[in-house]
Amino acid sequence: MQRYYVPKYVNALPQILWWELDEFLIFLGGVIVGIWTNHSFLGVLAGVILSRQYMKLKYNKQPGFLFAWLYSKGLWGKKGLVPEYWIKELME
């Protein structure tokens, strides 16, 4: 009989150390930028700060808040297919 890993929640992301995958990728991005600029300590520090800020934003708001916020700023979504969020009526 084989053993399978079953996550605690169905939609849980994989974890690396104590971070979920999306938080770790933000940290890793800071580390990579720090290595490219020959300031690895500052890159690690920036990665930790950015991932902590992302975690605060992620856990203190409702699910999907980040995508709704990005959509309201025009950074996420179907450009040209969906009207802007401030338009209340469509004129033909």
Side-chain angles (χ1 to χ4, degrees), residues 5-66:
Y5 171 72
V6 178
K8 185 174 181 181
Y9 300 105
V10 174
N11 60 350
L13 292 173
Q15 285 194 325
I16 299 173
L17 299 175
W18 54 88
W19 287 322
E20 289 185 354
L21 183 61
D22 54 347
E23 300 158 0
F24 181 74
L25 290 178
I26 293 172
F27 169 73
L28 189 62
V31 171
I32 289 172
V33 168
I35 290 172
W36 280 342
T37 59
N38 290 330
H39 298 292
S40 54
F41 178 74
L42 292 177
V44 169
L45 186 64
V48 168
I49 290 172
L50 288 174
S51 64
R52 297 274 305 203
Q53 292 301 318
Y54 175 71
M55 287 167 58
K56 283 183 185 179
L57 182 68
K58 180 179 169 183
Y59 293 123
N60 290 337
K61 304 289 183 186
Q62 69 271 20
F65 169 78
L66 185 62

